[in-house]
Amino acid sequence: MRIGIIFGGQSREREISFAGGRTVYDNLNKDIFTAVPIFVDSLGQFILLNWQYIYKGTIRDFYPPFEFLPESKHGFQVYIESLGNLSKEERDAMIHSVGKKIEPSDLKDLIDFAFLALHGPYGEDGAIQGILDWNNIPYSGSGILASSIGINKYIQKKLLAQAQFNAPKYTIYKKSSWLQGANVADLFKQFESAVGFPFVVKAPSQGSSIGISVINERNDEKLRLALNRSFFLQEITAADWNAKTETAKTKWVATLTDIRDGIGMPVNDVFNGKTLYHPEELLNYLNTNLTAKQERILLESLDNEEEIIIESFIKGQEFSCIVIQDEQGNPIALPPTGIIKGNDFFDYRSKYLPGMSRKVTPIDIPALQVEAIRTECCRLFTALQFNVYARIDGFISPEGEIFLNDPNTTSGMMPSSFFFHQAAEIGLTPSQFLTYIIRTSLQERIKEGKRSLKTKNLLSQLDNLLAEQKNSTKQKIKIAVVMGGYSSERHISVESGRNIFEKLSSSTKYQPVPVFLTGSDEKHRLFILPINILLKDNADDIREKVINFKGHHPIIENIAKETEPFTNRYVNNVVKDPKEISYKELSEMVDGVFIALHGRPGEDGSMQKELEKYHVPYNGSGIESSQITINKFETNRILREHGISVANHRMVYKNEWQAAGENLLTEIESGFVYPIIAKPSDDGCSSAVKKIKNRDELRAYIRLMFGEEAIQGSVSSGVLGLKYNEEFPQKDYFLIEDLVSKGAAKHFLEVTGGLMTRFNAKGEIEYEIFEPSEALATGDVLSLEEKFLAGEGQNITPARYTSNKADYEQVASEVRATLKRVAEVLNIQGYARIDAFVRVFENNKSETIIIEVNSLPGMTPATCIFHQTAINGYKPYDFIDNILTFGIQREKNKLAKI
């Protein structure tokens, strides 16, 4: 059955839609479905996307294609709408470079069913549902009416009041009133009188917490900013603008153009009626006009809100609940999840970056209150005429009152989203839950009476395929996917492990077994995971569940029984309880291991040593190579001895600091010039990697690293500007390096390059070096978000070494040769990622300066190594299959020599 995944779109949530579409594409059951990627660009054009582009980190990494972008002196990232009024020929040429342009009427020849991964306006408002209905294509989720209700918070509030649901007090405020020059102090009194204090300012047609602010201080300026945020307005005065440095101006424009935190582009100058499309155009406009002749400029997004909602702030515990249907169409609420967060509301970063918040399922309140939430969510599902599934958000007050304030006809489909998190509690893997959504959606479309015979045939076909699969005796290769650990990289390890698990579980070749590792260097503890614990929010949640497992929560057991009559259609041989096992027991259960650990253990050779005792094949490099590459100082020393460029570096030890104190700072300063880079010598994922600009920052770094001050809330964390909940490992040593700079080069860039190995006919190892990606950091160093959070950062693949294509291959081949030399010197096997800086000189000669080597690189869905493998024709699954095949063959070769 051909499943068209419709993703991307025109809303501010397009990056989350893009990432969700990729999740669906990867997790569809390959035995039953053929995935067809249908990308919708921000102009509303439908594109049959070439599969390689699905694995880009963000939409802007591939679209608009770089060859169509105007020159940007400041390297601004833009969407296609920032290119102005393009001709049809220009738009068609862009589409042709990434896929094939299609019209909605073409869809019925390409797909049998549309899986909707769109968010926000044009995706959740009935628009795409109407297009598909018109073209007789069954689709996932609710129909037109429910979708149009689900998108509009104002209409929802009216309907909820009519159905006698509890609701916060609210009032509507129009942009026309705001633009007439309303007095903020008077507005504050007006809003407080209407809804009380504190209160929430929100845009009525947005999701992912976009355009929302909590006003919990009686501060007129904060209210002014909040109103502008919800109306998607941005004001700047001449005094503020001209006080900024050129760098600060550029950063201000870049923040404004962000469609989640800023108002986005294009923008309109409200006072002058001038439309500005590109960030460079805006920067020049502000520099020219914010002078004595114009005191301030008010910018308005072309995609804005005409009225906003002011509502009372609900004091209570926040929750989110997925509601699904049984096969008779009755709503069933899955166990609601309580949200523990560090901010006043569940913002974009908290929602989508692992480890930034905690999801507790079921919400930690008395059972009767949990059941009351479930009952209210089902009642709302029915009242708003939702179908198939919905995500309903709300609060429960200390007095037990339930407020449902944000029903959504779709949900984020990131791997760790509520959508999959709660489905796992009834035993469904992501792949199985997607199959359930497709089947239930077919049932709902049949009820609508449009071309129902065709849809009935599709449903019958799907049921036959499901029955065949359930009764199949086909043997698959069992692979333990080991994730977690106890380093600062444990959360990213879980994201990598889940991604590997999901890629393998939807394949026709492998049967993955999820395994969580915790413990210490002295003793590794291994646990086989049931799917519900695998999909807990982060590594710390998983650890707590397996260490303290005392049976299942009664509410979850009851819901699992309630859903069993239809989940049995999709599920086979469910693991229900975590089980601790030894390495010996692991070796008897599986045919191989995929180590998805990062840092220690995993990349230090310790796990490899245990697996080799039992002749278990594994991915990645062997023991000796791993022991070298985990140590950045030792890696650099060896590479330098072999004539490979590395940064000047030295180790700093706790006992040195305790003995010498401030004199140690003087000694360091005698060998290094600020700014310098400080980082752990055996951790990755950008944890505690800091650009140190002066002695105060170096002292603060030392105090935090050596445990003299707390990571959160201390003086030193303030000096370094640590974010809430930022991982900062504390150790007895760390590494200092020179900050590598452009020097005399004409071009300078940071790259990250992947590689893969295979055995040739003679049994020798051959290296395949992928085209590196150019990594663009918005701050001093590449952040955790930019590496792993969908929609953050930008990786350009292949890297742009030269502006002249004729000269490109000369530089690219030199860089690849250096990366290959590094792999050979360090005896890297399986696969790896090598980070480096590249200097390109006037004669197109280049110098590649190695930063670090990752023997088990991150394998999260958005990681750039998948962009690189795609250029060489490998889908992520193909790459993972090659890695496993190499490990299995390596072990066979070893055994043959015994």
Side-chain angles (χ1 to χ4, degrees), residues 12 26 37 39 84 170 236 333 370 392 413 453 464 480 509 516 544 553 637 729 772 847 853 890:
R12 295 174 185 276
D26 280 338
F39 175 69
Y170 75 96
I236 182 73
V370 176
I392 299 170
M413 295 179 191
L453 181 59
N464 290 336
K509 181 177 179 180
F516 184 77
E544 190 274 329
H553 196 290
R637 184 190 65 77
E847 178 187 18
V853 176
R890 177 175 58 191

Side-chain angles (χ1 to χ4, degrees), residues 28-74:
L28 283 177
N29 187 325
K30 306 300 186 296
D31 284 326
I32 297 175
F33 303 117
T34 299
V36 182
I38 310 292
F39 175 69
V40 182
D41 74 6
S42 43
L43 300 180
Q45 300 176 111
F46 286 68
I47 304 169
L48 179 60
L49 194 66
N50 293 340
W51 68 261
Q52 293 93 327
Y53 298 105
I54 295 169
Y55 299 104
K56 295 293 186 181
T58 75
I59 294 168
R60 291 165 297 178
D61 284 353
F62 72 94
Y63 193 81
F66 285 103
E67 59 267 29
F68 293 93
L69 291 175
E71 186 175 343
S72 175
K73 176 184 175 183
H74 300 92

